[in-house]
Amino acid sequence: MPGGMVSVLEIRNRGYIAGPFPFQAQAAPSGVTFGLPQNRDFDGTSVHMPYKPELSVGPAELFTSTDLNTYTATAFDELSVTLQWTSNGNTFTSYLVQGSPYLTFEFAGLKPQITAQNKDAFVSVNGQTVGNTTTASKFKVVTQNGLTWLVYVLSGPVSLTTSAQSLTVSSAYKGAVRVAKLKEAADESVLDKYMSVYAKSAQVTYQVSNDVATVQYKFNTNGTGSLLVLTWPHHRDQLSGSTKYQPLQYLTIKGYMKAVEANPLVLTLPLTSIKWTPNKPIDPSCSQELQKSLEYEVNHATSSFPNDMYFWGGSFGRLARLAAIADQVGRQDLLNTILNVLRDSFEPWLNGKAGSPAAYETRWGGIVSSQAATNPGQDFGNGYYNDHHFHYGYFLYGGSVLGKYDSAWLARAKPFLQSLARDIGNPSPKDPFFTVTRHKDWYAGHSWASGVANNAGNRDEESTTEAVNGYYGLYTFGLVTNDQNLIDFARLLLATEIHSNRRYWHLKDDTNDPAYPEKGYRDLATAGNLMSDSSGQWLWWGNQRLEIAAIQILPLTPITEEVVDAVWGPAMYAYSAKEFNDPSVADDWRSVIYAAHATWDPVAAYKEAATLSAWGSGNSNTNTLHFIATRGTNGICSSAGVPTPPTDVFVTLLSKSTGQYLDGGSTPKAKVAAAQAGKYKIQWMPGGFTVVSQTTGKYVSGGNGGTVTAGSAEAKGWESFQFKQVGQYWAIVANSNKMYAEVQADGTLKTTAGSATDATLFTISSDGSVPTTTAAPTSKSTTAIPTSSKQSTTTKLSTTTAAPAPTSGNLTGSNYFYISSKSAGLYLTSSATDQYVRVNGTRQQATRYLVAAIQGKDNLFSVQDVKTSQYVCADSNGDQPLIANRGSPSGWESFSFEKQGQYWAIRADDNKKYVAVQSDKRTQATSDKVQDSALWTLTSA
């Protein structure tokens, strides 16, 4: 295998089938059980069409022959799978082909049998009450639940013995049997007309001419005549005007599938012309600020060791965007600096020393995270093929950018990158190691994120633009390796993905062939998750509007402009705006929505972006500003008029409420006259400003939400501020908690005010002098602001002197703690790259947690990693270690804290067990009683 690969265990096949649409089917030892959902509901936020088994088709001999109770997938392609049951040379074969209004089965020497499912029963066949034998080639079957089915026996007539539960051909049969659901009486003549021709398999072929692709779905058929095919809305957008539509349709979760007479089915799609940079140049008015931000973020960038694939990949992609922007603005010095960081970050993948090395898994054939190969809950299920197109798109894009400027590195890394490219974008069925386009559903038009162990439900896709990024990464890999075939194929994958995303996740109030007939659902603007049987405003970790919208935009790359259009964009923005001021949602999510706002109002977007203080592990201030500045409008940054305080000169701060100045002490107080005023230097940084005291030579800190001090040696989270102009005054906001600095009765400042009042307002005056003797401290740390969900940051928050938690009584309100184990003597840690809560750190390495009372739940608390904003989760059965990976607290994220002498016991509310240290130093809610391994010290942070 390529460098860095290792071998791992195989993954077991679970044997379930979704589709072929419009049906939902499941293979079983007794045959194929299926249904065509018809009950549809909209609950205000989601549309559901739940699957219910309605019929089962198989040989009657299955119930008496043991050797028939296994089946094999004898063939499969992009649009179909063939299953076969065999007994003594006799066979039962099922052709499951996407888009067919019939399910087709071939029998050779076996008796066809149809069985009623789901407590239904057959009532009549061809107008006769069941309980008789009927001879014919076509049977019209009515059930007790009011369903009507048409059964066509293509080599009939046959005699059918009927009962309430089964319909059985009386003797062994050789030929095809087709089954269709009759929804409307007028549909019968259409189904009769096309019943004799059926597809057994298919091929997807394409041709590219300049920036247009022609795609053909060619079906291999049996029978004489024309083929009837059902099309989804996205197909009909791409079909030619001469298409022969037929009066037959079935409602699915993604709208009506409508019948056309076609073979092949031919689609035409425009392809992107975007390559490494946006099609529009950088607005000159933004150039200076863009370069200032770029310089800061490049010079503060550090390599990160890969302990996972997803979070590391997002961070690597973010660094690669800085490299691409540095090249575009002509900063070779910054480009060279960031390329070194990219090389160092990627090296563990090439030498096999990553925390969980990449591995080739042999059963299904693909690259996986080796440690996740036997744990479907690790690395978002990467080891079981979940989310590969999400994960590897970051690798491919970042590696392509690095390889563009370092051909020697590319030559060394190419085998590794090529393996990832083949994993998610292999175009060839002849490749013996990788399946064709693993996640892409060619008939659905989009990808599915689910792998082979999706215990949470059927197939789903939520982060549509990370799928787009996967194929954009594949495209850039084709560009950097000069592979025109891969370039064209990746552009086709991009075109189909983006078009389907716009059709099925962008909810537009469009009455012309809508994907969702429910206007109330379309009014909600954005779908969060699409499954085979539902589409809804929810994500696996929550249902916040900002996050639902942002997950259909991130990451920001040049291709994003083809995702966000001027129709969906404003609707999405209005839908999200209701949470713009919600403090529980991190700026990470706002950053991409504000950037998208630039599609139709770049000046407003620039003003919004100026309020951000965090961008998540996959985005940056530079990248956000770059997207805004490349929308084809000039004067964005000059006309926005975002006010800023005086920087890089000494200033004094006069409190409006006290009429006195801040002094220069280590705990500044607004209690002195002008002559004794302390002097401070305000310095710009992405997302805000730092404030340095001339007297102490240290950074001013927001005091962890407490008293403001001027004693921090480094600029981290609590040392980052926003300055908001209020008339002639300025209000100072701590970025870490979004609270205003407010003068107290004793003159000290606390970052506790929720809005601007007289007590928060200051006059900032500059004497124009620049420091010459007192050097301001420097720091290589970037702003560390709490992040949320799938995004993270790698820098540490500053700390203050620790004090013990209360030694008696109950916890109340919200408390910041470091938590240490009595038995191990070490502190709890978790991070964006290792989300498991481990007893693994010294006091200096400890993770800072916010333990906060849950509203409406007496004596229950959530535990939140302050740096990542992720909530600690305990599995309901205690089967899994504690992990800080939830965007909001619910049942599994609820804990009680019980005083045990000088220690605390922590109990998971969901299973009522105590959290204890395990042998691998992870923590788990498994203990039925309080013992040393389940006792903890809480130290105020």
Side-chain angles (χ1 to χ4, degrees), residues 75-82 96-97 200-204 220 436:
F76 60 89
D77 52 56
E78 295 91 335
L79 304 182
S80 74
V81 63
T82 301
L96 301 171
V97 183
K200 300 176 70 173
S201 61
Q203 289 85 41
V204 178
N220 303 313
V436 174

Side-chain angles (χ1 to χ4, degrees), residues 686-706:
F689 300 85
T690 60
V691 181
V692 179
S693 167
Q694 182 192 36
T695 304
T696 67
K698 300 292 182 67
Y699 286 98
V700 172
S701 170
N704 293 5

Side-chain angles (χ1 to χ4, degrees), residues 52-68:
K52 292 182 179 180
E54 294 171 333
L55 294 181
S56 180
V57 174
E61 292 86 350
L62 280 171
F63 297 95
T64 58
S65 174
T66 58
D67 61 343
L68 265 174

Side-chain angles (χ1 to χ4, degrees), residues 428-505:
S428 173
K430 296 181 180 180
D431 190 326
F433 296 104
F434 296 89
T435 190
V436 174
T437 53
R438 185 180 309 279
H439 290 276
K440 173 68 80 173
D441 184 328
W442 282 96
Y443 210 72
H446 57 79
S447 300
W448 298 104
S450 309
V452 297
N454 191 25
N455 295 325
N458 58 36
R459 299 178 299 179
D460 82 282
E461 177 93 339
E462 64 181 8
S463 184
T464 59
T465 40
E466 286 190 295
V468 170
N469 186 61
Y471 303 129
Y472 181 56
L474 191 70
Y475 174 36
T476 57
F477 184 63
L479 290 172
V480 79
T481 56
N482 197 29
D483 185 337
Q484 189 60 48
N485 289 331
L486 181 56
I487 290 170
D488 289 342
F489 186 59
R491 288 199 298 162
L492 174 60
L493 292 170
L494 274 171
T496 55
E497 199 75 22
I498 291 172
H499 182 78
S500 292
N501 292 352
R502 285 181 165 187
R503 256 305 193 169
Y504 304 120
W505 280 264

Side-chain angles (χ1 to χ4, degrees), residues 140 182-190:
K140 188 173 185 177
L182 186 62
K183 303 277 288 184
E184 305 290 342
D187 296 344
E188 186 169 1
S189 61
V190 179

Side-chain angles (χ1 to χ4, degrees), residues 820 825-829 838-847:
S820 59
L826 294 172
Y827 286 81
L828 292 185
T829 64
R838 303 177 187 270
V839 178
N840 200 35
T842 64
R843 171 62 182 78
Q844 290 72 31
Q845 298 167 325
T847 294

Side-chain angles (χ1 to χ4, degrees), residues 728-799:
Q728 61 181 312
Y729 301 100
W730 294 90
I732 305 172
V733 181
N735 274 329
S736 285
N737 68 351
K738 303 297 185 185
M739 304 298 280
Y740 289 78
E742 180 179 30
V743 178
Q744 306 299 302
D746 62 356
T748 59
L749 276 67
K750 289 187 176 182
T751 50
T752 53
S755 61
T757 64
D758 281 358
T760 67
L761 299 180
F762 298 87
T763 298
I764 299 178
S765 302
S766 168
D767 60 10
S769 63
V770 179
T772 56
T773 56
T774 304
T778 60
S779 172
K780 293 290 285 185
S781 301
T782 57
T783 309
I785 308 298
T787 60
S788 63
S789 185
K790 285 186 172 182
Q791 305 190 52
S792 65
T793 184
T794 58
T795 52
K796 294 183 178 180
L797 292 167
S798 64
T799 61

Side-chain angles (χ1 to χ4, degrees), residues 215-257:
V215 182
Q216 290 195 358
Y217 297 162
K218 175 63 177 176
F219 298 93
N220 303 313
T221 60
N222 268 19
T224 302
S226 300
L227 183 68
L228 193 65
V229 179
L230 296 174
T231 61
W232 262 311
H234 73 279
H235 295 134
R236 298 191 287 276
D237 295 338
Q238 301 157 0
L239 290 171
S240 68
S242 60
T243 302
K244 297 179 180 179
Y245 285 93
Q246 301 300 317
L248 175 71
Q249 62 182 18
Y250 294 94
L251 183 60
T252 72
I253 196 60
K254 296 191 299 187
Y256 282 98
M257 294 190 81

